[in-house]
Amino acid sequence: MILVIAALLLGAVPFPASSDHAGSAKDRVTIYVLSNGFHSDIAVPRLDGQTFEQLGLSEQDYPVQIDHVKYWAFGWGSKTAYTSLLAVSDLTVGIAAKALAFDETVMHITPLGDLKAGENIFAFEISKSQYQALLKNMARFFASKNPLDVTQGVGDRFYAGNGRFAPWLSCNTWTGRRLREIGIGVGLWTPTSQALEFGLHAVASKS
């Protein structure tokens, strides 16, 4: 109960936003945060392969028509939960217990088409320097650039991750930290999607 109350309170306290708004529209990059009420991802543009090239990843590892990919969604989380769940309804007591017991983590990447801000999809216009920082910060959480032999069946790939999962270090905490690192003022602590979305609604682009 204490963790829940703390999450609600700290999720409502905005981190100071960056003033990095220099440059014309062509010098800016649109990213998105996707939240389904349980888990969150950061979606970044493919940029004709430049994004994967900077991360040291290979688009050839993905069984999709690459030219149709407009965005890649990146997420971090519990290896047990992430690789076992296709839907929240798949969650069992055993999976939850193992995930919360400082489980190993994975990075997950999903190919996406065009995105537009809307329900549970939050858009942000950031500078190229912020984008480079975001990629650098996400890269720290790949323990390996070789995909694991597991998939959710949507052209996605998993990679061994760095760090351990915990109730206070969740996928939503990870997303919130990556945003704060580049100056996006979401809540100070976002262990739940609700805490994260509270800040996202306040600072995301409305278009």
Side-chain angles (χ1 to χ4, degrees):
M1 179 60 72
I2 293 176
L3 285 176
V4 172
I5 294 173
L8 291 175
L9 292 175
L10 293 178
V13 178
F15 187 81
S18 168
S19 59
D20 187 0
H21 299 298
S24 63
K26 69 178 182 179
D27 293 323
R28 302 187 68 74
V29 179
T30 301
I31 66 169
Y32 294 88
V33 176
L34 316 177
S35 177
N36 62 9
F38 176 72
H39 171 78
S40 59
D41 288 309
I42 298 175
V44 299
R46 177 175 172 257
L47 299 180
D48 294 324
Q50 295 177 46
T51 291
F52 263 32
E53 183 177 340
Q54 292 179 59
L55 289 168
L57 300 168
S58 174
E59 293 186 334
Q60 296 180 357
D61 291 329
Y62 290 75
V64 296
Q65 193 165 338
I66 291 298
D67 288 344
H68 290 179
V69 177
K70 303 301 181 183
Y71 286 85
W72 298 105
F74 286 73
W76 174 93
S78 157
K79 181 178 181 180
T80 300
Y82 228 154
T83 59
S84 302
L85 304 178
L86 293 179
V88 176
S89 58
D90 297 330
L91 184 64
T92 65
V93 173
I95 290 175
K98 186 173 181 180
L100 294 175
F102 300 99
D103 192 23
E104 293 180 86
T105 57
V106 289
M107 285 293 295
H108 184 227
I109 305 178
T110 307
L112 302 173
D114 287 319
L115 290 173
K116 183 178 180 181
E119 186 176 3
N120 301 323
I121 301 178
F122 303 87
F124 294 90
E125 293 281 334
I126 62 176
S127 68
K128 286 187 176 179
S129 62
Q130 286 175 300
Y131 187 65
Q132 295 301 321
L134 174 62
L135 294 184
K136 182 178 179 180
N137 292 334
M138 292 197 302
R140 303 197 320 261
F141 291 87
F142 286 86
S144 170
K145 301 299 176 65
N146 297 315
L148 300 174
D149 188 22
V150 60
T151 176
Q152 292 184 340
V154 291
D156 58 309
R157 288 291 181 261
F158 286 95
Y159 302 80
N162 284 321
R164 290 278 179 169
F165 187 87
W168 53 89
L169 290 174
S170 68
C171 58
N172 298 298
T173 305
W174 183 88
T175 298
R177 285 183 172 180
R178 303 294 78 76
L179 297 176
R180 291 195 301 274
E181 285 171 344
I182 61 171
I184 295 176
V186 295
L188 291 174
W189 184 45
T190 58
T192 67
S193 59
Q194 291 73 27
L196 177 64
E197 288 180 25
F198 191 96
L200 293 174
H201 280 292
V203 298
S205 169
K206 305 305 179 185
S207 59

